[in-house]
Amino acid sequence: MKYRAEKMVDAIYTETNGNLFLEAVPEILGKQEFKKSMESSFRLPTDIKNRKSQERRAALSGLGSWFLPMDYMYSLYDMLYRAMASTYQTKSVVESIRQMNQIYVNFRTGKEADLPYATQAFTGAILGVPGIGKTSAIQRCLSTMPQVIVHQNYQGKSFYTKQILYLSVECPSDCSVKTLAFNILSAIDTAIGSDYFEQVSKGLAASAVATKLKIVCMNHHVGLIVIAPVPPSCLLRVNLIL
């Protein structure tokens, strides 16, 4: 595999097409590779039959560590990967800077965007009754990829940034846009060790927080945001930002 099984890794560029964020994305796994990286085994003691009943019952607690991926999970992983990769296929460093400048202008003037940028994100949804494992399945799929890629040098030139491949947050129970933005900023802080949440949590209006969030996400090139609602809702939305 291209990267180690860690949350934060140094960038490795496999191709040279002028889009370093796309070049640094981990390769997509085949079905057998995905299954091998997802599954985990559980072994009972060889003398389990000869042990006391309470010891046998205590050994059963280890069943929680056993996991066997089902076929549909690869389809889910494939959807998540393609959604994330599609973000980087249409964005370069120059385009991101232009879009950030336009967001500042729009926020200050109140005008609509006049640059030809697509605003509709790649979205998807997973539906099902609560407790069947929707959220845990997505978290396991995302665990096959690093969350943060650190760029330091590209084509012989210094270039330092932290690229966040994915974020996973919970939708607030009151459906507040401002609270959701705070949750996303907090997830970014957890991923890269920043303090964006502290910067925007001091009396800013919801529109200002949303603008700040857009710029932070573009600064760190967030590819995928998974928003999981709180019970009793059974909808899990997968959103790409910007």
Side-chain angles (χ1 to χ4, degrees):
M1 296 177 62
K2 184 174 178 179
Y3 293 111
R4 304 181 303 274
E6 298 179 1
K7 284 290 185 180
M8 184 179 295
V9 296
D10 292 329
I12 299 175
Y13 308 106
T14 53
E15 298 180 1
T16 305
N17 54 25
N19 187 338
L20 72 163
F21 302 116
L22 181 60
E23 294 173 27
V25 170
E27 74 278 16
I28 188 169
L29 300 177
K31 195 169 185 178
Q32 295 302 320
E33 293 174 312
F34 172 78
K35 182 178 179 180
K36 185 177 180 180
S37 64
M38 289 275 285
E39 64 185 5
S40 59
S41 60
F42 166 70
R43 293 183 179 181
L44 289 170
T46 56
D47 61 342
I48 189 67
K49 293 182 179 180
N50 301 324
R51 295 197 177 189
K52 297 179 181 180
S53 59
Q54 62 269 27
E55 293 178 336
R56 295 198 297 269
R57 290 195 302 271
L60 291 177
S61 61
L63 282 173
S65 62
W66 176 79
F67 183 79
L68 181 65
M70 303 180 71
D71 289 340
Y72 80 89
M73 291 183 180
Y74 183 75
S75 299
L76 178 59
Y77 162 79
D78 182 70
M79 180 192 73
L80 293 170
Y81 182 91
R82 288 185 292 106
M84 179 190 66
S86 67
T87 302
Y88 302 120
Q89 288 173 350
T90 57
K91 290 200 180 294
S92 63
V93 177
V94 174
E95 290 170 343
S96 296
I97 294 174
R98 287 176 178 171
Q99 191 171 1
M100 279 191 287
N101 290 337
Q102 188 62 38
I103 288 174
Y104 272 122
V105 172
N106 294 341
F107 177 71
R108 293 180 180 277
T109 62
K111 297 180 180 179
E112 296 293 331
D114 55 4
L115 291 178
Y117 291 116
T119 58
Q120 180 59 48
F122 187 108
T123 61
I126 299 176
L127 305 177
V129 297
I132 64 173
K134 302 181 300 298
T135 302
S136 60
I138 284 192
Q139 289 175 344
R140 285 183 175 271
C141 289
L142 294 176
S143 69
T144 62
M145 300 177 281
Q147 185 179 19
V148 180
I149 297 177
V150 181
H151 300 264
Q152 301 187 61
N153 188 286
Y154 181 70
Q155 294 184 352
K157 297 182 180 179
S158 297
F159 180 84
Y160 185 83
T161 188
K162 291 181 178 179
Q163 175 185 355
I164 302 176
L165 296 184
Y166 61 85
L167 294 170
S168 180
V169 299
E170 283 193 357
C171 181
S173 57
D174 60 354
C175 299
S176 166
V177 174
K178 187 174 183 179
T179 305
L180 177 60
F182 284 159
N183 289 349
I184 296 175
L185 288 170
S186 180
I188 292 174
D189 289 344
T190 301
I192 63 175
S194 55
D195 60 349
Y196 292 118
F197 177 79
E198 184 178 352
Q199 294 176 21
V200 302
S201 61
K202 300 178 180 179
L204 292 180
S207 59
V209 174
T211 300
K212 176 67 174 180
L213 175 61
K214 290 181 181 180
I215 295 172
V216 169
C217 287
M218 284 190 293
N219 276 335
H220 295 289
H221 313 281
V222 178
L224 180 72
I225 298 181
V226 178
I227 303 176
V230 295
S233 172
C234 60
L235 172 66
L236 186 119
R237 294 183 59 83
V238 180
N239 286 336
L240 287 181
I241 191 132
L242 305 174

